[in-house]
Amino acid sequence: MSLESHEKIPCDFGGRRRKVRWVRFAAGALLLSSLFVVSPIIPVDLRFDVPILSQVLPQAEPVEANATCAQGGACVVGDTGPGGGIVFYVRGGGFNCGLILNGATTCNYLEAAPTSGAAAWTDANYVWSGKTNSYIGATATYTDRGAGFKNTEAMVAQNPRLPRLDGGDAPNKAGTIARAYRGPNNLTDWYLPSLLELSELRNKRTNVGASTGTYWSSSETNATTAMVLNFATGSNSSVAKTSSKMVRPVRAFAADTTKPTASV
């Protein structure tokens, strides 16, 4: 850093005159050197040569605030998830959720459609599918956590209804109504939960505002039946696909490791 020195000049320090040598740095800072200067008062003629600290000292970089669950940060049960639903299942180590529409193959969370606020869902009774007498097979029999999306996709894809109205994609059935739900944030990866996902939902039924009724899972058992779960007792059974049971859409999602969180 270059500097230039000047002769001593007389200055008035609160009524006491002293000769002060001053040095100007190339950066514009000013040094006063005198063993006799004890007053903190800066000479009037020199005040405008003193730089503002914020112009000299390096400024701290802005720190990004911790991301909420809805913003992609860490989640706990009861949080609002990225889809606007209520988080009801958390697994830090992740679980296999197949290749779902949001691109994840390993997920960490499940959220349920909210029953209040924007895009509020109302649990109601629906027939399982438009196709109730034909076996979908292996692609719709999964019961694991994270498997509901695959099951539901297979349900909807079974025997498209045109020109008939009894295909798997018939509207207002358990599978199609769950897949058609978009939630508060207009996401397209909601689905009918598998049996074990439904069990986790039942375990947190108070958090998600579920009833004590019997709910459909997307887990098929044979050509004419699929699995349901009684939320009052926790017992599951296989019932006719033509039965009307309650439905609650859910979605799976992964933790976003690029977001700062309170635990980091």
Side-chain angles (χ1 to χ4, degrees), residues 81-243:
I86 306 301
V87 174
F88 66 93
Y89 180 71
V90 176
R91 184 186 289 179
F95 55 91
N96 186 353
C97 56
L99 183 60
I100 58 179
L101 287 183
N102 61 35
T105 56
T106 300
C107 296
N108 303 91
Y109 308 105
L110 292 170
E111 63 177 317
T115 56
S116 62
W121 174 266
T122 300
D123 291 344
N125 292 303
Y126 298 90
V127 170
W128 194 72
S129 170
K131 193 71 175 176
T132 58
N133 60 358
S134 179
Y135 188 45
I136 300 172
T139 55
T141 58
Y142 299 106
T143 59
D144 295 340
R145 298 167 188 86
F149 184 83
K150 293 181 289 187
N151 288 343
T152 311
E153 286 286 88
M155 290 170 63
V156 173
Q158 185 189 28
N159 302 117
R161 66 184 185 275
L162 296 177
R164 298 169 60 87
L165 296 177
D166 61 352
D169 59 348
N172 297 316
K173 308 301 182 184
T176 52
I177 200 72
R179 285 293 290 119
Y181 182 68
R182 294 294 178 261
N185 295 331
N186 198 33
L187 300 185
T188 60
D189 52 1
W190 296 88
Y191 59 88
L192 189 66
S194 68
L195 184 61
L196 287 182
E197 289 174 329
L198 197 60
S199 179
E200 297 296 347
L201 185 66
R202 188 253 173 189
N203 291 342
K204 298 297 185 294
R205 59 190 181 280
T206 301
N207 298 85
V208 302
S211 76
T212 55
T214 299
Y215 285 76
W216 275 123
S217 80
S218 57
S219 303
E220 184 186 49
T221 49
N222 58 44
T224 59
T225 64
M227 297 299 296
V228 296
L229 185 70
N230 185 314
F231 273 31
T233 64
S235 61
N236 64 72
S237 59
S238 182
V239 302
K241 293 176 181 177
T242 54
S243 304

Side-chain angles (χ1 to χ4, degrees), residues 51-77:
I52 300 172
L53 287 178
S54 63
Q55 296 173 346
V56 177
L57 300 178
Q59 299 301 298
E61 293 294 327
V63 177
E64 186 178 353
N66 292 329
T68 65
C69 174
Q71 295 168 332
C75 304
V76 297
V77 170

Side-chain angles (χ1 to χ4, degrees), residues 27-51:
L30 183 67
L31 293 182
L32 300 178
S33 60
S34 174
L35 295 177
F36 303 99
V37 177
V38 294
S39 171
I41 301 175
I42 298 175
V44 173
D45 293 340
L46 302 179
R47 284 177 186 168
F48 297 104
D49 284 325
V50 179

